[in-house]
Amino acid sequence: MTPEERRAIEWDCARLVALYANLNDETRWDEVATLYAEDGVMTRPSAPDVEIRGRDAILAAFAARPPRTTRHVCSNVVIDVEDADHARGTCAMVLYTGTTPPAVGSFHDRFVRTANGWRFSERRGTMTFSP
């Protein structure tokens, strides 16, 4: 793999992290769910031991949320390329809701290249500080 190919994968995966935060804040659940592989796994930072498995289940979990206004800020994104079709990454996350102090946590991600581009195969959230 060339350095340019590695950087392209890193960029594509980092973009996925940012897109996820933006779509989540805009309550565009169908589009959030499509960022996962069909058999993707998600754990919320507030429930890191509860796995939500599969794109349909992930969509249902988001759709079941009570309405709220949020702003997710993800930073310190580091992507490690494993090979041409797999990568992993971490990022820090701050969640603002406007009604409680910010929540601080992180995501630990696994990425897979699909026919539709890079997708999350796993997105595991954890809390560092809770309001």
Side-chain angles (χ1 to χ4, degrees):
M1 174 179 313
T2 68
E4 291 78 17
E5 290 168 329
R6 182 174 298 281
R7 279 192 295 275
I9 293 169
E10 291 168 348
W11 189 91
D12 286 347
C13 292
R15 184 180 186 283
L16 201 61
V17 169
L19 184 58
Y20 182 96
N22 291 342
L23 294 173
N24 191 338
D25 291 337
E26 295 169 6
T27 65
R28 293 163 58 183
W29 306 137
D30 289 330
E31 292 169 83
V32 171
T34 64
L35 300 180
Y36 283 88
E38 282 292 334
D39 59 349
V41 175
M42 175 183 86
T43 68
R44 290 187 166 124
S46 58
D49 297 325
V50 178
E51 284 190 356
I52 303 166
R53 192 172 288 276
R55 190 181 286 165
D56 291 340
I58 291 167
L59 175 57
F62 276 108
R65 281 184 156 170
R68 66 180 185 164
T69 301
T70 62
R71 174 58 67 196
H72 292 78
V73 178
C74 295
S75 67
N76 305 351
V77 178
V78 176
I79 307 297
D80 293 308
V81 177
E82 295 174 337
D83 60 39
D85 296 317
H86 300 90
R88 56 188 156 75
T90 59
C91 71
M93 180 274 306
V94 180
L95 171 62
Y96 297 93
T97 62
T99 59
T100 60
V104 178
S106 60
F107 285 105
H108 303 272
D109 300 318
R110 301 209 47 92
F111 304 94
V112 63
R113 187 191 312 258
T114 71
N116 295 313
W118 286 93
R119 297 293 182 261
F120 293 104
S121 59
E122 288 185 9
R123 178 142 244 240
R124 296 185 179 273
T126 58
M127 295 302 296
T128 308
F129 308 108
S130 301

